[in-house]
Amino acid sequence: MNTGVLRIELKRSVAPWAGALVLTTALAFLYLLNGDWSWGTTAWTAQWTSMALVTRSMLFYLWPVAVGLGALQGLRDHRSKMSELLTSTPRPAWHRAATSAGTTAITLASAFALLVLVGAVQVLPNTEYTHLGWLPISIVGALFLVAGAVLGMGAGRALPSVLTPPALAMTAFVFTALMHMSLGRTETITGPGISSTEPNRVSLLSPAVEEVRNVLVTLSASVHVGQTIWLLGMAGTGFALLVAATWRARLTALTPVLAGAVIALLVLPSDPHRIYVVDKAAAEMVCDGPVCVTKTHQDRLAGLAGPGKEALRLLHGALGGRAPVAIRENTALLPNGSTPQWSSETLLLDFDDDIVATSKGDELTRALIAKGMVPGCTPVGWSGFGGDEYAQAVAAGWVLGDFKPFAGTPAGMRGKVDTEGRPVWEELMSLPRAEQLSRINAMRAAALSCEGDPFDVLSGGASG
């Protein structure tokens, strides 16, 4: 397709409007609405993989829009009453279809590429870890838009009714929603009495991805391969419908999408734990003595090393041989709702933890001491404030000799921490040293095993 033909086709089609709608609505969503993509280590402008996954998640609503606009484009010949005239010309039907579909594909792919570029420009100064592992996520996302639009064009030509575009858009939206609800989820038990759901391979036929909750998580290679097969089948059916002239040919045109779905489901991982996996290169450790972070966060090591070493020294002075001897960024990937797993020898760190994320210098040392004493047992993916946070403040105060809330404690909860924690700290400090150590050791045993209430132990209750 030469530039002259492309220019003419752009003037005659809805492709420019489709591209503009995809780009502007996605940017408006990302910039005008506040969500998990706006802050923390998984912000869409913080790291490359997070940026790719967040922009890909926009396809939850962009893909139905692309399908509907494609169907509107497919009605063009019918609306202009030129169908019979065009079939009588010597120009092959596939040539006309390729011109129209190619224009739409180029426009939508360019719009999505611009969206990714906007994110990439902001990621570049925010991280020292640059890689290309995120590219397949974005490339498959662009393919979803293209294949959806071509399928919509074919359906619009095969079913030339003004109701076809909105009906197809709504069908695509319902399909996407169902893939992220009952049909695309498998129920699992992640803890005592806690049920959760995980995506299954059927959900991977949908263009959208799960919410980004871990900066080290990416999609596995088999997901990219399976989705590409599915999309080629979808695009093949759309193109075949564009050139089909009889109902028999239109029924035959459904073969690629059906075959693509079957083959894709055979390729896509059946184990939910092989869908979203830890990026091993990103999770590789970079260390300064006993303090290590992942390569993804290597730019944070300089600010962490000093306070980290000091925290380890103070913990050793307070706990002796029971103290942790190293600090590592936590790379474990656990299902939502599962109980965290901790080590007595290694202090596991999460840069999204409130008391760590906002702390520097001495405040960071205090926060690390607290995490070494009471790591926290809130189920993965959940949030809460209570006994663990009070116990952290008391335990850090016991090591450092003074009690105060952490810098990262929410402003509305600082008074609560002081009211609940200070009396327990004062009582603990008034006890003989042997009794203090007995309570602290019992508290740590409860905190590390996530069995019992560490704050209750510190208060003189049951020891777990």
Side-chain angles (χ1 to χ4, degrees):
M1 187 193 317
N2 59 47
T3 55
V5 173
L6 177 62
R7 193 180 305 113
I8 293 172
E9 191 64 28
L10 284 172
K11 292 179 180 179
R12 298 174 59 222
S13 72
V14 299
W17 297 104
L21 188 62
V22 164
L23 180 61
T24 56
T25 56
L27 290 176
F29 191 95
L30 290 169
Y31 282 110
L32 299 182
L33 299 179
N34 286 324
D36 291 340
W37 62 84
S38 302
W39 55 74
T41 62
T42 58
W44 79 292
T45 57
Q47 297 289 342
W48 294 102
T49 302
S50 298
M51 180 273 294
L53 287 170
V54 171
T55 52
R56 173 80 175 268
S57 70
M58 297 294 101
L59 297 186
F60 186 90
Y61 72 90
L62 291 179
W63 186 69
V65 169
V67 173
L69 290 174
L72 185 63
Q73 174 67 16
L75 292 178
R76 184 180 65 179
D77 293 345
H78 177 75
R79 294 197 313 268
S80 60
K81 305 186 187 317
M82 293 181 61
S83 300
E84 294 183 4
L85 174 62
L86 291 173
T87 56
S88 64
T89 63
R91 188 185 184 192
W94 69 264
H95 196 282
R96 295 194 303 271
T99 300
S100 181
T103 302
T104 301
I106 291 172
T107 304
L108 287 174
S110 298
F112 192 72
L114 284 174
L115 173 64
V116 172
L117 181 62
V118 170
V121 168
Q122 296 173 86
V123 170
L124 198 58
N126 288 337
T127 180
E128 293 181 4
Y129 178 55
T130 302
H131 62 103
L132 298 178
W134 59 274
L135 270 178
I137 300 172
S138 295
I139 291 173
V140 173
L143 285 177
F144 260 109
L145 285 176
V146 170
V150 174
L151 181 65
M153 291 174 67
R157 182 171 176 80
L159 301 170
S161 166
V162 293
L163 298 178
T164 299
L168 275 179
M170 183 56 66
T171 300
F173 181 78
V174 171
F175 169 79
T176 303
L178 288 176
M179 289 299 100
H180 285 264
M181 293 166 60
S182 56
L183 292 182
R185 312 291 297 187
T186 300
E187 186 172 352
T188 58
I189 303 299
T190 56
I194 300 176
S195 63
S196 183
T197 61
E198 293 181 310
N200 56 38
R201 58 181 166 186
V202 176
S203 71
L204 299 175
L205 298 179
S206 164
V209 296
E210 293 288 294
E211 178 184 351
V212 184
R213 61 182 180 85
N214 189 318
V215 71
L216 301 175
V217 169
T218 188
L219 288 168
S220 65
S222 56
V223 172
H224 300 316
V225 174
Q227 289 185 330
T228 300
I229 294 172
W230 160 238
L231 294 174
L232 291 176
M234 186 189 300
T237 287
F239 190 80
L241 287 173
L242 276 174
V243 301
T246 65
W247 278 108
R248 177 175 294 181
R250 289 166 184 158
L251 289 174
T252 304
L254 298 177
T255 302
V257 71
L258 295 176
V262 171
I263 298 173
L265 289 173
L266 293 175
V267 174
L268 292 169
S270 58
D271 182 358
H273 300 126
R274 291 174 50 223
I275 295 175
Y276 292 91
V277 296
V278 172
D279 185 336
K280 293 182 179 179
E284 183 179 334
M285 289 293 169
V286 179
C287 300
D288 182 344
V291 181
C292 299
V293 298
T294 62
K295 187 176 289 186
T296 298
H297 292 134
Q298 59 189 357
D299 55 319
R300 301 194 182 204
L301 182 58
L304 177 67
K309 293 174 184 177
E310 178 66 7
L312 291 176
R313 184 187 69 80
L314 291 169
L315 284 169
H316 180 74
L319 300 174
R322 294 175 179 265
V325 296
I327 296 176
R328 298 283 188 278
E329 183 176 353
N330 194 356
T331 61
L333 180 59
L334 300 175
N336 270 344
S338 59
T339 302
Q341 300 174 2
W342 305 117
S343 165
S344 60
E345 297 180 354
T346 303
L347 193 164
L348 296 177
L349 173 71
D350 184 349
F351 284 112
D352 275 329
D353 191 297
D354 288 341
I355 66 171
V356 173
T358 59
S359 301
K360 295 180 180 180
D362 291 342
E363 286 295 337
L364 181 55
T365 298
R366 177 179 287 270
L368 292 172
I369 290 172
K371 297 301 292 184
M373 299 289 280
V374 187
C377 290
T378 302
V380 175
W382 295 22
S383 60
F385 198 96
D388 281 350
E389 286 70 28
Y390 305 150
Q392 286 176 342
V394 173
W398 176 77
V399 173
L400 294 171
D402 68 322
F403 180 92
K404 65 177 182 178
F406 301 104
T409 302
M413 299 304 298
R414 292 195 175 196
K416 186 74 172 175
V417 171
D418 195 77
T419 301
E420 296 288 339
R422 186 175 292 277
V424 175
W425 174 76
E426 290 175 348
E427 179 191 353
L428 178 66
M429 298 299 288
S430 68
L431 295 173
R433 182 66 180 178
E435 179 62 20
Q436 292 181 26
L437 284 172
S438 176
R439 285 198 187 184
I440 288 294
N441 289 333
M443 178 274 298
R444 283 199 79 221
L448 293 171
S449 64
C450 290
E451 296 177 0
D453 184 347
F455 188 60
D456 185 50
V457 176
L458 285 175
S459 302
S463 59

